[in-house]
Amino acid sequence: MLVDDWTPTKISNWCAQQGWQSLLVEGGSHVQASFAAAGLVDEVIWYLAPTLFGGTALPAIQGPTKPQALAFQAPVVTPLGDNLKVQWQRKVVD
């Protein structure tokens, strides 16, 4: 992801300079892939509903950046009626 000279790292640094401690990133698979490739994903939250859609949609994370494996802890699953909230925290690497 690149908007003018804004990159995920520059966006994260700017947010930190503002005193912000967290950033919600919503976007398509390329935006998500750019933040993941920069190592800027600390938490993933998915909401799952018992509904299937057909079509040719892209994966949640796909882009031109080099794939990077990020390790997460076991998920916390919260039922929300018929839906699920699944939340992962990134493992801390010493």
Side-chain angles (χ1 to χ4, degrees):
M1 180 187 89
L2 179 64
V3 179
D4 292 327
D5 65 341
W6 288 94
T7 64
T9 300
K10 287 183 180 180
I11 292 168
S12 178
N13 290 340
W14 182 85
C15 290
Q17 291 170 0
Q18 306 311 304
W20 302 351
Q21 295 181 2
S22 64
L23 173 66
L24 170 66
V25 177
E26 292 183 332
S29 59
H30 290 130
V31 170
Q32 302 297 337
S34 294
F35 276 86
L40 296 172
V41 178
D42 294 325
E43 180 179 43
V44 174
I45 300 174
W46 284 356
Y47 292 92
L48 303 172
T51 305
L52 293 176
F53 296 98
T56 58
L58 291 173
I61 297 178
Q62 176 178 318
T65 57
K66 180 180 176 185
Q68 176 181 345
L70 301 176
F72 290 84
Q73 298 174 8
V76 174
V77 179
T78 306
L80 301 171
D82 290 341
N83 304 316
L84 296 175
K85 175 183 176 185
V86 184
Q87 187 172 3
W88 294 269
Q89 296 287 328
R90 189 160 175 198
K91 287 184 178 179
V92 177
V93 178
D94 295 328

